[in-house]
Amino acid sequence: MAVVVVESPAKAKTINKYLGSDYTVLASYGHVRDLPAKDGSVNPEDGFAMLWEVAPESKKHVRAIAEALKTDDTLILATDPDREGEAISWHLKEALATSLKKGKTVRRVTFNAITKNAVTEAMGKPRDVDMELVDAYLARRALDYLVGFNLSPVLWRKLPGAKSAGRVQSVCLRLIVEREMEIEAFKAREYWTVAATLATPRGQEYEARLTVLGGKKLDKFDIANETAAELAVQAIRSRDLTVKSVESKPAARNPYAPFMTSTLQQEASRKFGMGAKACMSAAQRLYEAGHITYMRTDGIDMAPEAVMAARDEIKRRFGAAYVPDSPRMYKNKAKNAQEAHECIRPTDMSLSPEKLKVADDQRKLYDLIWKRTIASQMAAARLERTTVDVGSADNQVELRATGQVVMFDGFLKVYDEGRDDEDGEDGARLPQIAEGEPAEKRKVTPEQHFTQPPPRYTEATLVKRMEELGIGRPSTYASIVSTIQDREYVRKDKNRLIPEDKGRLVTAFLTNYFRHYVEYDFTADLEGELDDISAGERDYKDVLSRFWRDFTAAIAETADLRIGEVLEKIDDFLAPHLYPARADGGDPRLCQTCGTGRLSLKTARSGGAFIGCSNYPNCRYTRSLSAVNGEDGAGGDRVLGEDAGDEISLKSGRFGPYVQRGEATEANPKPARASLPKGWSPEAMDLEKALRLLSLPREIGPHPEDGEMVEAGIGRYGPYVKHGRIYANLPEADEVFAIGMNRAVEVIAQKAGRGSRASAPAALRDLGEHPDGGKIEVMSGRYGPYVKWGKVNATLPKEMAPEVVTVAEALELIAAKATKSGGKRGGAAKKPAAKAKTASKATAKPKAAPKAKAAARKPARA
């Protein structure tokens, strides 16, 4: 028998079914060893020696494998067929070294799909662990560790609130921040287009747009304003139009290549809004169940037997017309494409999505993979594109109508790729139009447009851009995008990635002090060197040595930097963005509120950045980094209206947007303010909403049990209701303004029942004063009733009812408890335990104390 080790129990279960009783299949549950999260785990002074340790949660899995090897002589490492899978196999071999000494055999097998044929075939072709792939893994792991553990502390010291930096993570963040700055620096430009609804002599209508005016072909901005547009309209209306030419051209659309990791993530994001992490999780489960091939790949080629299976399925489902004459072959054009595995495809082409019994997210993803794979081997779609030019006899005016007709749908019958942004393709169908016939003008319409800024990245477009630049690898995209969101450098809003102020600061800092290490070309070239290591063309320690020499020099240059100096440098670097030129030509750094202070970059304790006035605290003007125009409604100050003589305004501060009543004066330096709760958009704020926020906290009414006022408000941790010292969270901010007493009492009771530390337990009875001072009370606790004196809590015996306990019995219990605690839990006096003991002797029976002591211990033990 042999011991086969794979990563997950799901994979182990599937493979065990194929191999049968001759094999013991166990799971390693991923990586079993890692570098300890402390400085010194990679030692550049000792040839980049790496200190590995078995993770605590992995020790039991390693023990289970070692135990199985006591009776079996062969260890077969069947982890995933990529660099990471090779590394897991190497780690297992190293961790099991003591169990493999006595003539044991270690072999490595890989398979691209978890099917019976693939697994059986792989078992017949064992090999050794590929140390070149392992070296590439070691180099990558050492680089990421050295960058993280040496650059992150620089950020912590020089840039308060920054959490971490990473070799690929920081470059990815730079992409998002730079795109946002492009958007904010964008100046919209006005332009107009003119379209006409024309009709054939048979009365059939079609749309055409103006392309020639005054005998000159129009460029995008030639019709720059409404006046010019109206002149163009008049030029069309005042002329008779005739069809000058009708040109029809056949065209073809070829299918898309099968999925690789990055394109699967992009399409799942476009069509389902599925993040990269969720996509890979669903794909992992499909792979482990044997439904698809390995999902971390740069390859788009397909095994010959899979191609033939796809062609057979196409013919069976759609007919021979949909099968091309020869199989389609695809080649990857991505920069630094490597790890030559198959594409991501179904393992069984005849297994359609509707037959699959899996979770919804897996079914949706499988449907996408199945359709893309089948479509990739289908015939091209045949189209006919028609262009019609209509003009005046004097050639001063010309319009163009375009359309297309699908003559044969081909692969489009199954699948069409989603688009990130509209590409303007005109798919309108045109009526029959003949050259030389008149074109009747039914309607001529001018339309105003403005140029649009580049769109924010989605996860799909970000992954696509990283792939184009050669940054990162398929297996890392999901974790990179998740990390920058977890670090609060980026937030996701309506599937678009928006940099937070913290992310802007980190990017500005790294671009100024470590520019070389966040350059796109440098990161891509380093990825290329890592690929060379896996191909055996470079020594990984040489790559590490060169990197470390330059990187430590850059770190050393930041040693004497002061926080103020860093902020000043970042402030200057971001100045064109933070302080854009004013329309009136005034100083963009001049405070808009006090008129004398200078605006500059500041950081809050929370790590957020904001723009503040140098006259603080006399002037409290602030705005966020993203609010580059102080007067725009979304980011800057905006007056919402008046109430009782006070101006109610929306402002943007260091902690985000807020509303304020009046302005700060000497008499009222801190006017009433209220932050906008989560989910409330600054653009949607009006006077009514602002007044509701400023009126908080809202009194709901007296509590029915004790008459104490119950309030609702919005605090640091969100919306809440309050009763005494109990704060109970509400799910939505809007509920603060509508919640009634019944609902409030219910929410408060639920919070009190969970034993919140903020809620003090109510006393059942007040027994009066202790002889040494301080109240004695009977309380209801988590483990039953008890008597309380100062810090001494003594549990009541089961036979002693809280309603009838006497002062003498309470003193006896308190004395016993205090004695047991060594006199360290006294109440009013410094040594209450000793005095309580004296008092108890005067009032208690000789043998009562030990009995009480035993009773007091019993509930605690339970």
Side-chain angles (χ1 to χ4, degrees):
M1 286 180 66
V3 178
V4 179
V5 182
V6 295
E7 292 96 334
S8 72
K11 189 174 175 182
K13 184 178 178 182
T14 307
I15 291 173
N16 196 42
K17 185 171 61 179
Y18 298 144
L19 294 179
S21 57
D22 290 341
Y23 295 86
T24 302
V25 186
L26 299 173
S28 70
Y29 291 80
H31 273 285
V32 295
R33 299 198 309 174
D34 200 1
L35 296 170
K38 62 183 180 182
D39 196 16
S41 294
V42 177
N43 187 359
E45 305 302 320
D46 186 20
F48 297 94
M50 302 170 79
L51 175 66
W52 301 100
E53 67 177 24
V54 177
E57 62 273 16
S58 298
K59 288 180 179 177
K60 60 182 179 183
H61 307 309
V62 174
R63 277 198 300 269
I65 299 168
E67 197 66 30
L69 284 170
K70 288 180 180 178
T71 54
D72 298 322
D73 292 331
T74 304
L75 173 64
I76 299 176
L77 301 167
T79 51
D80 289 340
D82 60 3
R83 184 190 294 132
E84 206 68 19
E86 207 70 25
I88 293 174
S89 286
W90 176 75
H91 277 301
L92 282 165
K93 186 178 174 182
E94 294 292 307
L96 293 164
T98 55
S99 302
L100 297 170
K101 284 181 179 178
K102 299 175 183 178
K104 306 282 184 182
T105 303
V106 180
R107 305 300 284 158
R108 170 87 168 107
V109 300
T110 58
F111 32 81
N112 194 47
I114 306 177
T115 61
K116 187 167 186 177
N117 286 342
V119 172
T120 306
E121 187 178 334
M123 287 296 174
K125 298 177 181 177
R127 60 171 173 83
D128 293 329
V129 172
D130 187 337
M131 288 309 298
E132 289 171 348
L133 275 182
V134 173
D135 285 348
Y137 159 79
L138 293 174
R140 187 180 295 274
R141 190 70 186 87
L143 280 172
D144 291 341
Y145 176 90
L146 291 171
V147 171
F149 266 84
N150 289 278
L151 192 52
S152 295
V154 175
L155 280 176
W156 303 336
R157 293 192 297 268
K158 311 301 180 185
L159 207 61
K163 294 184 177 179
S164 72
R167 183 177 62 85
V168 180
Q169 162 197 324
S170 299
V171 182
C172 177
L173 176 61
R174 181 186 171 191
L175 279 170
I176 297 168
V177 170
E178 288 186 346
R179 173 58 60 87
E180 192 70 17
M181 292 178 73
E182 282 181 54
I183 293 168
E184 291 167 351
F186 180 81
K187 301 295 182 187
R189 186 174 175 183
E190 180 185 9
Y191 68 99
W192 289 69
T193 57
V194 178
T197 302
L198 306 176
T200 67
R202 295 160 296 284
Q204 296 169 304
E205 292 186 346
Y206 58 97
E207 295 288 326
R209 58 183 177 82
L210 182 64
T211 56
V212 174
L213 181 63
K216 177 192 169 188
K217 187 176 180 181
L218 289 174
D219 288 329
K220 185 174 184 176
F221 299 106
D222 282 350
I223 305 177
N225 50 49
E226 188 175 6
T227 303
E230 285 299 331
L231 289 172
V233 170
Q234 291 305 319
I236 296 170
R237 286 176 177 165
S238 63
R239 288 171 169 78
D240 292 330
L241 301 176
T242 305
V243 177
K244 289 193 166 186
S245 68
V246 179
E247 187 177 5
S248 295
K249 289 183 179 179
R253 277 185 64 188
N254 288 315
Y256 305 95
F259 281 131
M260 57 180 172
T261 304
S262 58
T263 51
L264 176 63
Q265 291 174 2
Q266 291 165 42
E267 194 70 343
S269 175
R270 293 184 193 113
K271 291 194 169 172
F272 308 135
M274 190 182 284
K277 190 174 182 180
C279 170
M280 294 310 289
S281 175
Q284 178 84 36
R285 293 195 294 274
L286 287 169
Y287 166 68
E288 289 176 346
H291 298 310
I292 64 171
T293 54
Y294 191 54
M295 67 288 161
R296 291 189 180 90
T297 174
D298 282 345
I300 53 175
D301 61 316
M302 201 186 302
E305 61 272 19
V307 171
M308 299 314 295
R311 288 168 63 86
D312 290 345
E313 187 64 18
I314 293 164
K315 185 176 181 179
R316 187 182 70 81
R317 283 176 175 267
F318 308 113
Y322 286 87
V323 183
D325 294 337
S326 59
R328 293 187 178 275
M329 305 298 291
Y330 296 95
K331 186 177 180 182
N332 198 333
K333 296 177 183 177
K335 187 176 181 181
N336 285 346
Q338 47 92 41
E339 295 182 17
H341 304 307
E342 257 197 280
C343 61
I344 304 170
R345 62 167 177 82
T347 53
D348 179 2
M349 299 296 175
S350 65
L351 181 60
S352 58
E354 58 270 16
K355 295 178 183 176
L356 203 65
K357 295 181 180 180
V358 291
D360 286 345
D361 60 335
Q362 295 175 57
R363 182 178 290 104
K364 285 197 297 185
L365 199 66
Y366 181 82
D367 180 70
L368 204 59
I369 294 167
W370 185 86
K371 286 179 177 175
R372 176 90 166 214
T373 306
I374 292 292
S376 73
Q377 289 300 322
M378 290 179 75
R382 294 197 302 273
L383 315 170
E384 185 178 79
R385 291 199 172 102
T386 304
T387 302
V388 179
D389 287 326
V390 179
S392 60
D394 59 4
N395 294 322
Q396 293 297 297
V397 170
E398 194 170 297
L399 298 94
R400 174 168 286 184
T402 57
Q404 70 177 25
V405 177
V406 176
M407 310 300 289
F408 173 67
D409 53 3
F411 77 94
L412 293 175
K413 191 175 189 73
V414 175
Y415 176 86
D416 194 12
E417 187 174 74
R419 292 182 176 88
D420 298 309
D421 300 289
E422 293 299 320
D423 60 4
E425 184 179 347
D426 190 352
R429 188 162 187 168
L430 297 174
Q432 186 177 3
I433 303 170
E435 188 175 325
E437 69 181 18
E440 179 190 345
K441 299 183 291 293
R442 295 276 174 95
K443 185 168 64 174
V444 183
T445 311
E447 188 175 354
Q448 183 185 36
H449 306 274
F450 292 93
T451 53
Q452 297 297 312
R456 288 187 175 110
Y457 284 113
T458 61
E459 287 198 20
T461 54
L462 181 64
V463 166
K464 185 178 181 181
R465 184 63 179 141
M466 291 172 70
E467 182 186 29
E468 289 169 352
L469 292 169
I471 297 168
R473 282 291 171 263
S475 59
T476 63
Y477 292 146
S479 61
I480 290 166
V481 176
S482 296
T483 298
I484 57 177
Q485 291 179 70
D486 294 343
R487 297 282 185 266
E488 297 177 341
Y489 291 161
V490 169
R491 75 178 185 276
K492 195 173 176 182
D493 184 19
K494 296 177 182 175
N495 210 32
R496 298 280 174 174
L497 298 170
I498 304 170
E500 298 283 16
D501 290 349
K502 221 180 275 187
R504 291 172 184 263
L505 280 185
V506 169
T507 298
F509 176 82
L510 295 175
T511 305
N512 267 276
Y513 296 103
F514 295 92
R515 186 173 188 83
H516 183 57
Y517 299 96
V518 288
E519 290 285 1
Y520 304 134
D521 287 345
F522 170 79
T523 308
D525 289 344
L526 192 55
E527 291 287 355
E529 291 185 20
L530 292 169
D531 292 341
D532 290 344
I533 295 169
S534 63
E537 295 171 8
R538 286 180 187 266
D539 183 89
Y540 85 94
K541 292 189 179 180
D542 289 344
V543 173
L544 290 175
S545 295
R546 284 198 307 276
F547 176 88
W548 182 245
R549 182 190 60 222
D550 298 336
F551 185 64
T552 48
I555 292 281
E557 289 174 7
T558 65
D560 298 327
L561 286 175
R562 292 176 291 107
I563 292 176
E565 184 183 346
V566 170
L567 285 181
E568 187 178 337
K569 186 78 174 278
I570 293 174
D571 196 35
D572 289 340
F573 178 77
L574 295 176
H577 157 68
L578 299 178
Y579 317 105
R582 290 186 178 179
D584 60 5
D587 184 355
R589 282 187 182 261
L590 193 65
C591 179
Q592 301 170 16
T593 301
C594 68
T596 59
R598 300 278 295 166
L599 300 180
S600 62
L601 181 67
K602 302 181 184 299
T603 55
R605 290 180 183 177
S606 64
F610 64 98
I611 305 299
C613 179
S614 58
N615 285 339
Y616 178 86
N618 296 326
C619 177
R620 294 179 174 268
Y621 173 81
T622 59
R623 64 174 168 82
S624 66
L625 267 64
S626 52
V628 294
N629 298 312
E631 56 278 351
D632 70 51
D637 296 356
R638 177 157 61 99
V639 176
L640 301 174
E642 266 192 29
D643 178 64
D646 292 327
E647 196 175 72
I648 308 299
S649 56
L650 172 69
K651 296 178 179 290
S652 183
R654 68 186 75 176
F655 303 114
Y658 63 94
V659 291
Q660 179 173 299
R661 177 182 289 275
E663 291 295 334
T665 62
E666 287 187 16
N668 183 23
K670 293 186 179 180
R673 292 178 174 180
S675 294
L676 268 61
K678 188 176 181 181
W680 283 37
S681 166
E683 291 87 347
M685 283 302 297
D686 55 26
L687 180 62
E688 181 187 352
K689 288 182 178 178
L691 291 175
R692 287 166 69 193
L693 281 177
L694 290 166
S695 69
L696 297 177
R698 163 181 164 253
E699 292 187 346
I700 299 173
H703 196 284
E705 292 181 5
D706 58 13
E708 190 169 354
M709 185 58 66
V710 178
E711 296 177 344
I714 299 173
R716 183 179 178 186
Y717 302 108
Y720 66 86
V721 287
K722 173 181 177 288
H723 171 236
R725 294 171 61 188
I726 300 175
Y727 287 81
N729 293 334
L730 295 173
E732 299 292 338
D734 290 337
E735 194 173 358
V736 169
F737 306 101
I739 190 169
M741 183 58 73
N742 289 341
R743 165 76 173 143
V745 169
E746 178 188 351
V747 172
I748 289 164
Q750 288 173 351
K751 181 63 181 285
R754 289 196 296 269
S756 169
R757 289 184 179 181
S759 58
L764 299 176
R765 290 177 61 205
D766 186 345
L767 298 180
E769 289 287 315
H770 192 281
D772 292 323
K775 280 199 302 183
I776 303 175
E777 296 174 309
V778 181
M779 312 292 288
S780 177
R782 184 178 178 184
Y783 301 110
Y786 63 95
V787 289
K788 177 179 179 63
W789 171 59
K791 294 182 181 179
V792 179
N793 297 335
T795 306
L796 294 182
K798 283 185 178 179
E799 64 272 13
M800 192 178 291
E803 296 81 9
V804 297
V805 64
T806 64
V807 175
E809 290 170 329
L811 288 170
E812 187 178 328
L813 291 171
I814 289 167
K817 182 69 174 181
T819 302
K820 180 184 174 185
S821 304
K824 294 179 182 178
R825 298 183 63 194
K830 192 172 183 180
K831 297 182 180 178
K835 294 185 179 180
K837 189 174 180 181
T838 306
S840 68
K841 283 180 181 177
T843 55
K845 295 178 182 179
K847 293 187 179 180
K851 183 180 178 181
K853 232 170 148 183
R857 278 197 303 270
K858 191 172 182 180
R861 194 162 56 248

Coordinates of all heavy atoms in Angstrom, one line a residue, residues 207 219 335 375 555 571 600 639 643 683 685 742 826 846 848:
E207 N -32.1 55.7 -38.7 CA -31.4 56.8 -38.1 C -30.0 57.0 -38.8 O -29.4 56.1 -39.2 CB -31.1 56.5 -36.6 CG -32.3 56.4 -35.7 CD -32.9 57.8 -35.4 OE1 -32.2 58.8 -35.3 OE2 -34.2 57.8 -35.4
D219 N -14.9 66.3 -37.1 CA -14.2 65.7 -35.9 C -15.1 65.8 -34.7 O -16.1 66.5 -34.7 CB -12.8 66.4 -35.7 CG -11.8 66.0 -36.8 OD1 -11.9 64.9 -37.3 OD2 -11.0 66.9 -37.0
K335 N 1.5 39.0 -21.4 CA 2.9 39.2 -21.0 C 3.3 38.2 -19.9 O 2.6 38.0 -18.9 CB 3.2 40.6 -20.6 CG 4.6 41.0 -20.4 CD 4.7 42.5 -20.0 CE 6.2 42.9 -19.8 NZ 6.3 44.3 -19.4
A375 N -18.3 27.0 -26.9 CA -18.3 28.1 -27.9 C -16.9 28.2 -28.5 O -16.8 28.5 -29.7 CB -18.7 29.4 -27.2
I555 N 16.1 51.4 2.0 CA 15.5 51.5 3.4 C 16.4 52.4 4.3 O 15.9 53.2 5.1 CB 15.5 50.0 4.0 CG1 14.5 49.2 3.3 CG2 15.2 50.1 5.5 CD1 13.0 49.4 3.7
D571 N 2.7 66.2 0.7 CA 1.9 67.3 0.5 C 2.3 68.0 -0.8 O 1.5 68.4 -1.7 CB 2.0 68.3 1.6 CG 0.9 69.3 1.6 OD1 -0.3 69.0 1.2 OD2 1.1 70.5 2.0
S600 N -2.9 72.6 4.4 CA -1.8 71.6 4.3 C -2.3 70.2 4.7 O -3.4 70.1 5.3 CB -0.6 72.0 5.1 OG -0.9 72.0 6.5
V639 N -24.2 74.7 1.5 CA -25.2 75.1 2.4 C -26.5 74.4 2.0 O -26.9 74.4 0.8 CB -25.4 76.7 2.2 CG1 -26.6 77.1 3.1 CG2 -24.1 77.4 2.7
D643 N -32.4 77.2 9.5 CA -33.3 76.7 10.5 C -33.1 77.6 11.7 O -32.0 77.6 12.3 CB -33.1 75.2 10.8 CG -34.0 74.7 11.9 OD1 -35.2 74.7 11.7 OD2 -33.5 74.4 13.0
E683 N -24.4 63.4 -1.7 CA -25.1 64.0 -2.8 C -26.6 64.0 -2.6 O -27.3 64.9 -3.1 CB -24.8 63.2 -4.1 CG -23.4 63.3 -4.7 CD -22.5 62.3 -4.0 OE1 -22.9 61.6 -3.0 OE2 -21.3 62.1 -4.5
M685 N -28.0 64.5 0.4 CA -28.4 65.2 1.6 C -29.2 66.5 1.3 O -28.9 67.2 0.3 CB -27.1 65.6 2.4 CG -26.5 64.4 3.1 SD -27.6 63.7 4.4 CE -27.9 65.1 5.5
N742 N -42.1 49.6 22.0 CA -42.1 48.2 22.0 C -40.9 47.5 21.4 O -40.3 46.7 22.0 CB -43.4 47.6 21.3 CG -44.7 47.9 22.0 OD1 -44.6 48.2 23.2 ND2 -45.8 47.9 21.3
G826 N -11.8 43.1 49.0 CA -12.6 43.9 49.9 C -13.5 44.9 49.3 O -13.3 45.3 48.1
P846 N -21.0 28.4 65.3 CA -19.6 28.0 65.1 C -19.4 27.2 63.8 O -18.4 27.3 63.2 CB -19.4 27.1 66.4 CG -20.3 27.6 67.4 CD -21.5 28.1 66.6
A848 N -21.3 27.1 61.0 CA -22.0 27.5 59.8 C -21.1 27.9 58.7 O -21.4 27.7 57.5 CB -22.9 28.7 60.2

